Amino acid sequence: QVQLVESGGGLVQPGGSLRLSCAASGSIFSGNTMGWYRRTPGNQRELVARIMRGGSIVYADSVKGRFTISRDNAKNTVYLQMNSLKPEDTAMYYCNAYPSFLPWGQGTQVTVSS
């Protein structure tokens, strides 16, 4: 069964950093573009960043220059390094393939607040 397990969220002050990780089943990881998404209450999920199998990357304008997505194909893991965090980055963060055709994991909560 396909599983996505996100971790690394938490409470951080504005300007701080967090690193999120997402472990994925090997059978669905290696051949797919992977993405990080986020959702705030009352809003739809939005794509934050995506990384192709070969490493090509696209970021949402709101996180460019602050977030870095990466992947380790050997470990079936995708990461999101988040720097210079802002209160508006507060959300539940999820990983999925891009487009998002896999069952969603439980997500990891990121809260940016002083």
Side-chain angles (χ1 to χ4, degrees):
Q1 186 176 354
V2 172
Q3 278 193 317
L4 298 168
V5 180
E6 301 93 345
S7 62
L11 173 63
V12 63
Q13 292 186 341
S17 298
L18 285 172
R19 190 192 193 207
L20 307 184
S21 298
C22 173
S25 302
S27 62
I28 55 92
F29 183 87
S30 61
N32 286 286
T33 295
M34 296 299 295
W36 279 99
Y37 302 76
R38 65 186 181 188
R39 183 170 65 182
T40 54
N43 294 309
Q44 293 184 336
R45 277 189 189 95
E46 64 169 344
L47 179 67
V48 173
R50 67 181 191 262
I51 181 168
M52 297 180 190
R53 178 184 180 184
S56 296
I57 291 170
V58 177
Y59 293 103
D61 287 344
S62 58
V63 306
K64 280 181 182 176
R66 301 188 299 120
F67 290 11
T68 302
I69 189 172
S70 61
R71 65 190 292 166
D72 186 332
N73 291 332
K75 295 182 179 180
N76 299 327
T77 302
V78 60
Y79 304 97
L80 187 68
Q81 177 67 44
M82 305 187 295
N83 298 328
S84 302
L85 282 160
K86 304 176 181 180
E88 50 264 43
D89 295 318
T90 295
M92 186 71 79
Y93 284 73
Y94 303 84
C95 71
N96 206 309
Y98 178 82
S100 58
F101 65 90
L102 299 169
W104 292 97
Q106 82 286 352
T108 186
Q109 177 68 39
V110 172
T111 303
V112 185
S113 174
S114 56

